[in-house]
Amino acid sequence: MLIIGVVHSYLGEKYLLTRLFRRGNLPKLLGSDWFTKRVLRFAWHLTTLAWWGFAGILYVLSNPSVNINNEILTIIATVFALSGIVSLLFTRGKHLSWLFFFIIAAISYSAAYNH
């Protein structure tokens, strides 16, 4: 799953996003196509991040420990925190998904460590 994520991001950039962004007819969100391109790019790469999170969860499930719930919730919190960072940086905060990603990360982390 880690390799699939890397390949997905690389090939998506090389063969899909780059070619798509050369087109002149992208929707102009918030006044230009800049925001449209940034949202499409971060959404594409969030898929890779989610797959890496699934890989982490599968690893934890294959080697269960006493703290399996905390480990899974920590992975979820990490994936959503990283998703928030990616969203915040790629769109300079204009796409509000970062706020919800950070909230989910905080709730997951809290659930893992504040029974």
Side-chain angles (χ1 to χ4, degrees), residues 40-114:
L40 289 171
R41 181 165 273 134
F42 96 75
W44 184 267
H45 294 295
L46 282 187
T47 305
T48 295
L49 190 56
W51 289 344
W52 290 346
F54 280 124
I57 290 171
L58 289 174
Y59 176 78
V60 167
L61 290 172
S62 71
N63 298 300
S65 71
V66 174
N67 296 323
I68 190 168
N69 289 342
N70 291 4
E71 292 171 352
I72 290 173
L73 285 166
T74 299
I75 291 168
I76 292 168
T78 302
V79 167
F80 276 95
L82 291 172
S83 297
I85 291 167
V86 169
S87 171
L88 187 63
L89 294 177
F90 267 65
T91 69
R92 298 184 188 150
K94 292 181 181 180
H95 193 283
L96 295 180
S97 61
W98 63 268
L99 176 64
F100 297 98
F101 291 147
F102 287 148
I103 290 170
I104 293 167
I107 292 169
S108 298
Y109 185 80
S110 177
Y113 296 101
N114 297 316

Side-chain angles (χ1 to χ4, degrees), residues 20-39:
L20 178 66
F21 295 160
R22 284 190 211 135
R23 299 177 61 150
N25 61 347
L26 287 174
K28 293 181 179 4
L29 303 175
L30 300 180
S32 73
D33 66 356
W34 177 90
F35 183 71
T36 306
K37 291 175 182 178
R38 300 302 280 191
V39 168

Side-chain angles (χ1 to χ4, degrees), residues 10-27:
Y10 174 75
L11 293 179
E13 279 289 338
K14 184 172 181 175
Y15 294 109
L16 182 73
L17 296 174
T18 304
R19 292 176 182 183
L20 178 66
F21 295 160
R22 284 190 211 135
R23 299 177 61 150
N25 61 347
L26 287 174

